[in-house]
Amino acid sequence: MKILAIESSCDETSAAVVLAGKKSGVKKLSNIVSSQILIHKKTEGVVPEVAARAHISKISRVVQKALKDAKTPLESIDYFAVTNGPGLVSSLLVGTEYTKGLALALNKKVIPTNHMLGHLYSAFVSDPKIKLPSVNLIVSGGHTYLILLTKKNKFKILGSTVDDAAGEAFDKVAKMLGLAYPGGPEISKWAKKAKKKGFEDYAFPRPMLNTKNFDFSFAGLKTAVLYKIRDEKLNLKNPQTKANLACSFQEAVIDVLVKKTIRAAEKYKTKSITLSGGVAANKLLRKKLASASRKIYNKFYVPDFSLCTDNALMIANAAAIKVQGGFKPVKYTKLKVNPQLELK
Ligand SMILES: Nc1ncnc2c1ncn2[C@@H]1O[C@H](COP(=O)(O)OP(=O)(O)OP(=O)(O)O)[C@@H](O)[C@H]1O
Ligand SMILES: [Mg+2]
């Protein structure tokens, strides 16, 4: 089956085409991503209406390019997949309404797909034979999940964040430090310039590191950075201070993420560990989780950098896995947007 997937949940307009087997196997034919980062840099964050308008102006060209790269005429697409949540409602509506139009015109069924399911399976795009059970850490702009995957289509959420997502904390701390949007890549860039003696002096807390559950919390850590700057009257014009703060914050986040993931893998005796979501682009997190996984004899998987942040290929892949697991594609009239769609 050929699936054309559309992703527009936040600030990337993306379309991808895959060829998938009935029971297994997903082959990428194309993946086009049009990012709005330059637009949102000006406002240091995403303005929903601006994002939706940008999706509208790009979506047709992005879909046409995805079909052209896949050398596939629209008529030979079997199913249309689309992200129907979670995300910004106005952004989600652009992708879903566009998909409805295609499905109506071509009389084809649709596969509504949870954006987080896309992130969850994104490590499977290049490594479809990941050994299960696996524990999967998803760290994105809006979510933080630890998930146990026992079969390809069977998973259990072990924990999630009780407040801010890891990516959100990166973005907010970057803002405090006066760094550009999006904050995650900026924090990691500045952290590289830190001096060991300097950043170790800050030693931020490791929230919920020792709780028995697998939940996370990053809001307190973000506030700890704010109070440190305020109470110690730190001079953020000094590049070394900025670098040391960025590094100390990054170390605290990574420490909690790695230790809790490893603890989950040990408890559930997994064979593999996967890392995905936008924060998975962080090189230090990739390196530390890879090394910790090896120590407990788990194979470590992380998607290519281009598949960490939002893209339609991960949605096409997740949609194919859903159908291969028995999901029946639905009529376009059944397609509903839910900005708070839960992962189940
Ligand atoms: N190198 C990096 N280090 C840390 N964080 C990073 C890095 N690169 C990107 N990020 C963070 O990744 C996040 C974006 O990821 P993603 O696109 O998956 O999020 P989203 O789609 O907005 O949210 P969600 O998937 O939860 O709906 C941002 O918070 C960004 O700062
Ligand atoms: Mg995302």
Side-chain angles (χ1 to χ4, degrees), residues 320-339:
I321 292 172
K322 263 175 82 163
V323 175
Q324 289 164 347
F327 176 84
K328 299 263 177 287
V330 298
K331 202 173 172 202
Y332 71 91
T333 46
K334 293 260 178 330
L335 190 55
K336 298 263 179 318
V337 157
N338 181 355

Side-chain angles (χ1 to χ4, degrees), residues 164 167-177 183 187 222:
D164 288 359
E168 196 178 348
F170 266 94
D171 293 337
K172 287 179 178 165
V173 169
K175 218 169 196 175
M176 278 178 214
L177 300 182
I187 292 264
K222 176 192 71 188

